[in-house]
Amino acid sequence: MKMDKRARIIDFHSHLLPAIDDGSKDIAMSLEILQETRRQKVRKIVATPHFYPEEMSLSRFLEKRERAVEEVLSVFDSSTCPRVYLGAETGYFRGIGDSDEISQLTIVGTNTILVEMPFRPWSEATVEDIISLSMQRGLNVVLAHIERYRTFFSDRTMDRLLSSGIYIQSNAEFFLDKEKEKDAMDMLSSHRIHILGSDVHNTGQRRQRIGEAREKIRETLGEETMERILETSRFLLSGALSIDEI
């Protein structure tokens, strides 16, 4: 039997941990998400539960996340589940670039952090905060689901962020929406999207679809684009510890 040597995909954005945010409601659903992810030939996934500092203290969030991970480990089977890495989808807050605690929200073992930007026009101060997080704090900053902010920033702002070393993540659905597919492919081919995530929340309307997006991209832009996504993903995940290694 021939080995499939095509580039794999790493899922950088998911809400698979049970009962911690608006994602998986319980451990049964978490296990379904993990098994479906593996069926889609995804071998690595990052758990990124929402963290909103205005709603919960960091210490409380980390406690809840740890308990959720323990639940997952109690049912985890490496033969039917992908490797799981631990991070957060950190909601932007004023002064994030100066926060001394922000490193506790990176993907464990790395300098990579996933940030959810405001759903309103981005001010100069907001952009400066994100650039500071990258250039002053030395973090690999990834902006989550860029397609959801399209009316909130200009091309000039995007160019500025990219030139400051900011990475851009897009959700699988962006590439699977017939009305948005061309825009998604254009952004990916012009290096305005670097990595992908499923942003899976459940087994219903927000289910795992990253395997479909991978094949759509491969058909449209070719294997070289998939290899580029994988190379960037591996760099951003370099040094990461899976949940069974923490």
Side-chain angles (χ1 to χ4, degrees):
M1 183 175 66
K2 291 185 178 180
M3 296 289 289
D4 185 351
K5 295 185 178 181
R6 296 181 301 174
R8 294 191 181 275
I9 195 76
I10 296 174
D11 187 345
F12 252 87
H13 185 165
S14 73
H15 297 270
L16 65 87
L17 296 184
I20 187 173
D21 58 10
D22 61 341
S24 173
K25 65 179 182 178
D26 55 33
I27 190 59
M29 180 175 284
S30 295
L31 187 57
E32 283 187 61
I33 290 171
L34 286 169
Q35 291 172 341
E36 177 57 30
T37 298
R38 181 66 182 255
R39 282 194 289 269
Q40 293 187 26
K41 299 182 179 179
V42 178
R43 297 295 183 261
K44 296 179 180 180
I45 187 170
V46 186
T48 54
H50 286 292
F51 171 63
Y52 297 121
E54 67 275 13
E55 297 179 3
M56 185 184 299
S57 69
L58 178 58
S59 60
R60 174 65 175 152
F61 169 77
L62 294 175
E63 287 173 7
K64 287 188 67 175
R65 191 178 69 170
E66 183 177 356
R67 287 201 300 271
V69 168
E70 289 172 355
E71 277 199 79
V72 171
L73 286 172
S74 72
V75 300
F76 187 81
D77 181 347
S78 61
S79 68
T80 59
C81 299
R83 295 189 74 178
V84 180
Y85 300 89
L86 189 59
E89 182 180 3
T90 302
Y92 169 82
F93 57 91
R94 187 73 182 93
I96 191 172
D98 298 320
S99 172
D100 292 329
E101 298 181 320
I102 201 70
S103 61
Q104 296 183 66
L105 294 163
T106 57
I107 298 171
V108 176
T110 78
N111 288 324
T112 299
I113 185 168
L114 183 70
V115 177
E116 182 179 57
M117 294 295 281
F119 288 91
R120 59 179 183 273
W122 299 352
S123 68
E124 176 64 18
T126 296
V127 175
E128 286 292 341
D129 260 349
I130 294 301
I131 291 174
S132 177
L133 195 58
S134 171
M135 303 193 76
Q136 302 302 319
R137 290 284 170 176
L139 299 181
N140 298 318
V141 180
V142 180
L143 302 189
H145 44 57
I146 194 65
E147 64 275 9
R148 295 188 182 177
Y149 317 119
R150 294 306 304 279
T151 61
F152 302 141
F153 64 87
S154 65
D155 288 344
R156 181 179 178 183
T157 295
M158 171 62 82
D159 290 340
R160 186 176 169 201
L161 290 167
L162 292 173
S163 66
S164 299
I166 306 299
Y167 293 87
I168 306 298
Q169 178 257 315
S170 175
N171 286 356
E173 282 83 357
F174 191 31
F175 294 88
L176 301 172
D177 185 323
K178 290 184 178 180
E179 294 183 358
K180 299 177 181 178
E181 177 187 341
K182 184 180 184 304
D183 192 18
M185 295 298 178
D186 287 346
M187 289 185 70
L188 181 56
S189 63
S190 63
H191 298 248
R192 289 178 173 241
I193 292 173
H194 302 109
I195 61 174
L196 301 184
S198 63
D199 201 5
V200 57
H201 276 63
N202 51 51
T203 53
Q205 290 185 335
R206 303 189 71 180
R207 67 189 185 279
Q208 177 60 274
R209 300 188 70 193
I210 201 168
E212 295 175 60
R214 175 192 59 214
E215 294 312 309
K216 177 68 71 172
I217 292 167
R218 180 173 280 128
E219 291 170 6
T220 306
L221 299 178
E223 185 64 21
E224 184 177 338
T225 297
M226 292 307 308
E227 290 172 355
R228 173 163 55 86
I229 294 171
L230 180 61
E231 181 180 359
T232 304
S233 299
R234 284 174 168 167
F235 166 74
L236 292 172
L237 206 59
S238 177
L241 301 174
S242 58
I243 57 173
D244 57 327
E245 296 174 322
I246 298 173

